[in-house]
Amino acid sequence: MVQKIALFGTGKFGRCIVDELAKRPDQFELVVLSRRDLPEITAQGIKVEVVDYKSLDSLTNALKGVTTLISFMFDHDVNVYVPIHENLIQAAQKVGAKRIIPSEWAGDIRGFEPDAYASKKRIRSLVENSGLEYTFIGNGLFMDYLAPAGKKGYLADVPIPVMPENKSAKIPGTGDEALTLTLAADIGKAVVELLLQDHWPKYFWISGEVTSWNRILKEAEEITGSKFDVTYTPIAQIEENIKQAKDLGPMPHFYAQCELWYTVGLAIPSDPESQRITKNIQFTSARDILTKWYGSK
């Protein structure tokens, strides 16, 4: 039976998942919810429903026949983010939807995460009490960020501790802390496999490669044939930077906390059930990406 899947917040990373699901028209019928027309998605033959997220009627009409909701939406403001999801969940309940994947798509949410994700914690509570089947997805850091500027697919250019394009590295901690990297397209393949399961685990861990910043640095230097300009920031200094950034506003504080997150929050645990679901996926490695973009031509 074809599953009707509603996706929302598909501006960047979400497009990677849309593209993977769209390859299976015999298994998935897609509808993308948006505040505006999305001609680039309509051109793929995918239906776009323009909705008012403040209107329960608007969402209910858009979700008719939908079995599963997948969210990529995030807003630091709980006064915006939470009411939208309250309406989406109510609409899903009204139309008889069965499943929901809330917007996580990062690290192990059971441990440390930036304060800016407080609104996500509120959504988790809503989902857990919705009566819908759900799973919380963790995939580590997007491996795509290792690619050069403008070459990260739908993803934005985000500075990370090892920047092969600049032949530089500003590594938090010792650099030996475990880190999970997963290519966005591979996450999409894993979501396909998840949707085909009869039952979902509470946590679905997608692990492209477990590595470390020091290992990535070593591979990048080897592949580029260059010695990088490298600095390390001890955990104690990172914690002090976080304290100082708190008075500078939400975004400086968020970026300061990301330095700590890179050392303690982005390692995805090993889980037999998640491994079973993803066993047929040939995951891309960091070396694959580094070789593609920085290897000898």
Side-chain angles (χ1 to χ4, degrees):
M1 184 180 73
V2 176
Q3 300 183 45
K4 187 172 182 179
I5 312 293
L7 308 99
F8 49 99
T10 57
K12 292 185 173 64
F13 165 67
R15 285 290 303 280
C16 304
I17 309 302
V18 169
D19 285 358
E20 287 300 322
L21 295 182
K23 295 175 183 177
R24 306 281 193 100
D26 57 325
Q27 294 174 311
F28 308 117
E29 176 188 350
L30 307 183
V31 55
V32 172
L33 309 190
S34 175
R35 294 184 178 92
R36 59 180 178 82
D37 288 325
L38 299 173
E40 66 278 13
I41 289 181
T42 304
Q44 293 179 259
I46 297 170
K47 185 177 183 180
V48 174
E49 287 278 4
V50 177
V51 297
D52 177 0
Y53 285 110
K54 296 179 182 179
S55 168
L56 184 58
D57 287 341
S58 175
L59 293 172
T60 301
N61 288 331
L63 292 178
K64 286 180 180 177
V66 164
T67 57
T68 302
L69 283 72
I70 305 179
S71 174
F72 308 97
M73 183 182 292
F74 176 63
D75 195 303
H76 296 275
D77 188 347
V78 295
N79 296 316
V80 173
Y81 192 53
V82 174
I84 286 175
H85 281 76
E86 287 175 334
N87 285 343
L88 282 163
I89 289 172
Q90 286 184 51
Q93 293 166 333
K94 287 187 71 173
V95 302
K98 303 299 182 184
R99 291 171 151 181
I100 184 169
I101 300 175
S103 183
E104 295 295 346
W105 315 108
D108 186 349
I109 64 174
R110 301 169 303 174
F112 172 82
E113 58 184 351
D115 291 348
Y117 284 3
S119 56
K120 289 195 175 193
K121 294 178 181 178
R122 294 276 299 276
I123 303 306
R124 290 168 201 157
S125 179
L126 289 175
V127 167
E128 288 173 332
N129 292 286
S130 67
L132 301 173
E133 186 177 19
Y134 65 88
T135 189
F136 299 121
I137 294 181
N139 47 253
L141 189 67
F142 297 134
M143 192 180 287
D144 311 62
Y145 289 149
L146 290 171
K151 301 296 183 181
K152 299 175 176 65
Y154 298 116
L155 302 185
D157 291 320
V158 173
I160 59 174
V162 177
M163 298 290 287
E165 187 175 18
N166 302 332
K167 296 181 174 56
S168 66
K170 296 181 179 179
I171 296 177
T174 67
D176 289 326
E177 294 86 359
L179 165 75
T180 299
L181 295 177
T182 312
L183 195 71
D186 288 346
I187 298 170
K189 294 172 185 175
V191 171
V192 167
E193 297 300 325
L194 176 70
L195 290 170
L196 298 177
Q197 303 300 309
D198 291 332
H199 302 287
W200 286 353
K202 180 174 182 179
Y203 300 100
F204 181 47
W205 308 117
I206 306 171
S207 185
E209 179 180 6
V210 178
T211 182
S212 69
W213 290 118
N214 279 343
R215 181 177 170 186
I216 292 170
L217 171 63
K218 181 180 179 181
E219 290 177 337
E221 288 183 331
E222 175 189 325
I223 289 166
T224 62
S226 301
K227 191 69 177 174
F228 284 26
D229 180 16
V230 182
T231 59
Y232 289 86
T233 306
I235 297 293
Q237 182 60 57
I238 293 171
E239 290 174 340
E240 181 60 31
N241 293 344
I242 291 171
K243 291 178 183 177
Q244 294 178 8
K246 197 165 187 177
D247 296 329
L248 301 178
M251 292 314 295
H253 188 233
F254 171 73
Y255 287 123
Q257 285 193 314
C258 281
E259 292 297 299
L260 185 60
W261 200 26
Y262 284 143
T263 67
V264 299
L266 289 177
I268 297 303
S270 177
D271 170 65
E273 181 63 4
S274 297
Q275 290 174 344
R276 181 191 66 79
I277 294 170
T278 60
K279 65 182 179 181
N280 294 323
I281 298 172
Q282 185 70 43
F283 284 104
T284 307
S285 70
R287 179 174 286 275
D288 292 334
I289 295 299
L290 292 169
T291 302
K292 174 181 178 179
W293 293 110
Y294 308 104
S296 301
K297 302 299 183 182

